[in-house]
């Protein structure tokens, strides 16, 4: 498509009001916006795939956090990958494919320094938002660096059928874990964890108390717990934690829509006896691992040793529903919107 043939407007999602509890459709609008041609040093990208992720719920709140909240009445942001259709930046050409943060919209104009070139020949474009993207690096850095994983560790992952959790479990297995256990929200996902992703054991947290199911799945305890859920999962992991065990707090999706603060685990005192460690994880602290991550995990993906799933929703008009689906746990693997 030539620059002159480009459309003049683009659809984008905006936050109209800050959700209380579960986000509602009336908190958002899908609006038409004029496409701005790039100024010096900028590029215009037609998005091919955009990402929806649980952390975005936090950005819908005005509360002070590690990342600025979405601005009311303006386009929201998120990971996206697309094709450069106009460029006023040195080193970036029309036809290049880039990873950037101008998601929730069809076209994005931004400083080329905020884009990372990706190769659609090396891997499908969508993988740069998932298995080879931010979610993949989250799993890699969280397990290996924050969780100080070592060969022979027993690893428990909550939300294990999601984009991050499924990768954590497989990396642990490939790195020599003694046992990998996962929790998920359906029997179908439990079957996927064991039969496709190679987990040693998995359970449906809706089928009974998490603590009892974890003790049965990990009779010798847990050395590393990778937390995507919080709540009863975190309490259960503390109860099964071995001496010098490590807990990585990546997400707490069970409490994101609470209107009141959730009570903490009742058994934190057990960390004294186990000398256990709890540490929060933000992927932005670990981008120095990106080259090593892409090389190692990219090799596993190409060889088929590391498997991944994507849940793909078609159309920018369905971006909000895809996001709400992530909060409900509708996705298996990475939730992606194809434009």
């Amino acid at each position: 498509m030539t620059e002159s043939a480009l459309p003049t407007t683009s659809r984008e999602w905006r936050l109209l009001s800050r959700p209380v509890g579960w986000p509602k459709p009336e908190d958002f609008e899908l609006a038409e916006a004029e496409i701005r041609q790039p100024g010096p040093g900028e590029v215009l990208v037609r998005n091919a795939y955009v990402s929806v992720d649980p952390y975005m719920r936090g950005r819908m709140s005005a509360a002070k956090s590690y990342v600025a909240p979405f601005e009311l009445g303006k386009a929201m942001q998120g990971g996206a990958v697309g094709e450069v259709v106009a460029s006023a930046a040195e080193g970036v050409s029309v036809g290049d494919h880039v990873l950037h943060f101008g998601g929730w919209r069809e076209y994005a104009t931004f400083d080329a320094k905020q884009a990372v070139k990706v190769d659609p020949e090396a891997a499908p474009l969508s993988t740069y938002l998932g298995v080879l993207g931010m979610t993949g690096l989250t799993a890699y850095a969280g397990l290996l660096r924050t969780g100080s994983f070592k060969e022979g560790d027993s690893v428990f992952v909550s939300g294990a059928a999601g984009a991050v959790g499924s990768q954590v479990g497989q990396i642990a297995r490939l790195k020599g874990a003694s046992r990998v256990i996962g929790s998920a929200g359906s029997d179908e996902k439990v079957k996927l964890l064991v039969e496709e992703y190679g987990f040693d054991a998995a359970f449906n947290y809706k089928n009974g108390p998490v603590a009892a199911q974890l003790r049965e799945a990990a009779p010798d305890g847990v050395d590393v717990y990778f937390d995507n859920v919080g709540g009863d999962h975190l309490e259960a992991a503390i109860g099964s934690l071995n001496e010098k065990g490590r807990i990585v707090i990546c997400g707490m999706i069970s409490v994101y829509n609470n209107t009141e603060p959730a009570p903490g685990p009742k058994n934190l005192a057990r960390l004294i006896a186990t000398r256990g460690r709890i540490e929060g994880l933000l992927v932005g602290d670990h981008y120095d691992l990106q080259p090593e991550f892409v090389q190692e995990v990219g090799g596993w993906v190409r060889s088929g040793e590391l498997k991944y799933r994507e849940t793909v929703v078609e159309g920018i008009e369905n971006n909000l529903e895809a996001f709400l689906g992530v909060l409900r746990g509708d996705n298996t693997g990475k939730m992606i919107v194809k434009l």
Side-chain angles (χ1 to χ4, degrees), residues 246-294:
R246 288 84 69 202
I247 294 175
V248 180
I249 305 293
C250 177
M252 289 196 172
I253 199 168
S254 70
V255 302
Y256 286 169
N257 294 306
N258 288 7
T259 54
E260 296 291 330
K266 296 191 292 288
N267 57 349
L268 275 175
R270 192 171 184 275
L271 295 175
I272 301 168
T274 61
R275 279 84 86 204
R277 171 166 63 83
I278 299 180
E279 186 174 339
L281 165 67
L282 287 180
V283 68
D285 297 336
H286 304 285
Y287 280 121
D288 60 298
L289 289 177
Q290 181 84 17
E292 174 189 324
F293 155 71
V294 170

Side-chain angles (χ1 to χ4, degrees), residues 37 73 220:
Q37 291 300 314
D220 296 324

Side-chain angles (χ1 to χ4, degrees), residues 156-162 165-170 173 180-204 307 309 332-333:
F156 171 44
V157 189
S158 59
S166 60
Q167 210 156 333
V168 170
Q170 291 184 84
R173 176 176 54 77
V180 179
I181 304 105
S183 73
S186 74
D187 293 341
E188 184 182 14
K189 289 180 178 178
V190 166
K191 186 178 178 186
L192 174 73
L193 292 176
V194 176
E195 294 184 1
E196 186 164 329
Y197 294 153
F199 282 59
D200 296 291
F203 59 85
N204 181 346
K307 297 175 171 59
R309 291 280 189 98
T332 300

Side-chain angles (χ1 to χ4, degrees), residues 99 116-118 122-123 127-128 131-134 136-137 140 167 287-302:
L99 176 67
V116 176
K117 284 189 189 179
V118 296
T127 62
Y128 293 105
V131 68
L132 295 179
M134 185 176 73
L137 181 60
Y140 189 85
Q167 210 156 333
Y287 280 121
D288 60 298
L289 289 177
Q290 181 84 17
E292 174 189 324
F293 155 71
V294 170
Q295 182 177 8
E296 187 163 31
V297 175
W300 286 334
V301 170
R302 283 190 296 275

Side-chain angles (χ1 to χ4, degrees), residues 54-139:
Y55 80 87
M56 293 172 174
R57 177 62 184 87
R59 295 196 67 189
M60 294 171 189
S61 162
K64 187 176 171 74
S65 184
Y66 61 88
V67 63
F70 291 133
E71 293 184 63
L72 295 180
K74 295 192 176 179
M76 295 188 290
Q77 298 108 26
V81 64
E83 183 180 355
V84 176
V85 292
S87 175
E90 194 175 330
V92 184
S93 305
V94 170
D96 285 346
H97 289 84
V98 295
L99 176 67
H100 61 96
F101 216 61
W104 289 84
R105 68 200 85 182
E106 293 174 304
Y107 286 80
T109 306
F110 53 90
D111 188 329
K113 292 191 183 76
Q114 298 170 351
V116 176
K117 284 189 189 179
V118 296
D119 183 0
E121 300 296 320
L125 276 179
S126 60
T127 62
Y128 293 105
L129 295 176
V131 68
L132 295 179
M134 185 176 73
T135 50
L137 181 60
T138 301

Side-chain angles (χ1 to χ4, degrees), residues 24-35:
K24 300 180 295 295
E26 52 266 35
D27 295 324
F28 307 84
E29 72 167 344
L30 181 59
E32 290 266 344
E34 189 174 329
I35 294 176

